[in-house]
Amino acid sequence: MSELLKVEHLHKEFDKNVVIKDMDLTVKKGEVVVIIGPSGCGKSTFLRCLNGLEEIQGGSITVDGSLVEPKKKDIIKIRQKVGMVFQSYELFPHKTVLDNIILAPMKVQKRNKAEVTKEALELLEKVGLSEKKNFYPRQLSGGQKQRVAIVRALCMHPEVLLFDEVTAALDPEMVHEVLETMIELAKSGSTMLIVTHEMAFARAIADRIVFLDQGEIVEETDKVKEFFDHPQTERAQKFLKTFTFDE
Ligand code: ADP
Ligand code: MG
């Protein structure tokens, strides 16, 4: 497997408040990396850096060989390689489900409407939302909106998909349908970086776990089950104790 994403010595601060400290991370094509850690430890900021949404103060990020530099013109190219799904969906309220999905592939990637529409409908079918194609976001449940947001990201054919707590705002009964969609994506070979507080899901989907605390990787392992059963560091042990497991 080849390296798709490479982060070296990443340093990020907000007004001298250091949020990411000298971080290194490499993700291979097809890998699913789950990032966990306490609130405020820098998970969202890290994902935002990868997507070029944040300026960085040190180190480098490369995606498929291209440097991510927020100020450069080719940030649009990076955003096409790195898709991101947020907790808050960020769908356009005045556009239908289908229009939300086909907008960026047509405008940014200059793809043909008929071709993009065909793909969008196939993806909607896969997530069980074909019949909602002409609905507006406000007519959908949270779980449905989130699946539309995932389809919208997929339709851009990104090399890497970033997920930032995408189920955190959902009612419990809707969490499952979104997690199922992500598990299907992982099975189909998508490269994914996932921030989540759903520990059973993390355990099921992760090829590798990265435990972050105060802007640093404290523990990183591809022995996922061992990590959850016997975390090596005291900080990870303490963090995991705050979750109850059904299993
Ligand atoms: P997490 O996603 O792990 O909860 P965040 O990445 O959101 O953590 O935040 C990490 C730290 O960076 C926090 O201390 C937060 O207050 C700070 N931070 C995040 N975004 C900003 C911002 N735009 N301006 C200033 N500080 C920020
Ligand atoms: Mg966050």
Side-chain angles (χ1 to χ4, degrees):
M1 286 203 289
S2 59
E3 283 173 3
L4 195 55
L5 175 77
K6 199 170 176 69
V7 176
E8 291 177 290
H9 301 297
L10 178 63
H11 181 87
K12 166 73 193 166
E13 52 186 61
F14 292 106
D15 304 323
K16 303 234 163 79
N17 174 25
V18 180
V19 173
I20 306 283
K21 296 168 198 160
D22 195 23
M23 195 189 291
D24 290 316
L25 186 73
T26 302
V27 181
K28 294 177 186 142
K29 197 167 163 46
E31 236 187 332
V32 177
V33 174
V34 175
I35 301 169
I36 60 173
S39 180
C41 74
K43 304 179 296 295
S44 296
T45 304
F46 179 61
L47 292 191
R48 290 171 55 82
C49 289
L50 300 184
N51 197 26
L53 288 168
E54 295 284 353
E55 276 184 41
I56 63 175
Q57 283 70 48
S60 65
I61 300 165
T62 43
V63 178
D64 198 20
S66 310
L67 214 51
V68 176
E69 287 179 293
K71 279 181 177 162
K72 272 177 63 178
K73 271 187 296 181
D74 52 40
I75 196 67
I76 290 179
K77 279 195 200 134
I78 299 292
R79 298 258 169 85
Q80 291 178 65
K81 288 184 179 181
V82 185
M84 187 150 172
V85 184
F86 303 87
Q87 183 179 322
S88 55
Y89 334 115
E90 317 219 335
L91 299 173
F92 294 111
H94 54 283
K95 288 195 185 294
T96 64
V97 164
L98 187 59
D99 286 342
N100 262 285
I101 298 167
I102 66 175
L103 185 73
M106 283 168 54
K107 291 260 156 137
V108 179
Q109 296 179 325
K110 312 286 180 211
R111 281 160 61 193
N112 168 278
K113 184 172 183 179
E115 177 252 328
V116 179
T117 301
K118 182 168 175 284
E119 184 182 6
L121 293 174
E122 283 165 8
L123 289 168
L124 280 173
E125 171 91 50
K126 273 196 191 149
V127 302
L129 290 176
S130 297
E131 75 281 15
K132 305 288 186 196
K133 66 180 181 204
N134 294 322
F135 281 47
Y136 289 88
R138 69 183 141 76
Q139 299 171 301
L140 304 179
S141 72
Q144 290 168 340
K145 278 188 269 204
Q146 197 54 288
R147 282 181 285 154
V148 171
I150 292 172
V151 165
R152 182 178 56 175
L154 283 176
C155 214
M156 293 288 279
H157 303 165
E159 306 265 356
V160 190
L161 274 165
L162 313 177
F163 295 87
D164 191 5
E165 296 197 41
V166 295
T167 60
L170 300 180
D171 290 332
E173 68 268 29
M174 284 155 195
V175 168
H176 179 74
E177 64 194 38
V178 173
L179 297 184
E180 272 305 310
T181 300
M182 291 165 72
I183 286 171
E184 287 305 314
L185 282 177
K187 280 187 193 153
S188 71
S190 298
T191 311
M192 300 157 81
L193 260 84
I194 303 170
V195 169
T196 185
H197 284 295
E198 299 281 341
M199 292 301 142
F201 164 69
R203 186 178 171 136
I205 200 169
D207 294 318
R208 185 152 37 113
I209 292 281
V210 170
F211 173 67
L212 217 63
D213 195 13
Q214 298 180 359
E216 290 176 302
I217 296 178
V218 175
E219 204 164 326
E220 179 179 355
T221 180
D222 57 4
K223 297 192 173 65
V224 173
K225 285 198 172 59
E226 272 181 50
F227 171 81
F228 285 104
D229 293 338
H230 308 287
Q232 297 296 303
T233 61
E234 209 171 303
R235 282 198 270 179
Q237 286 162 12
K238 197 167 156 235
F239 174 73
L240 288 175
K241 272 205 188 113
T242 62
F243 294 89
T244 48
F245 289 93
D246 308 333
E247 298 171 299

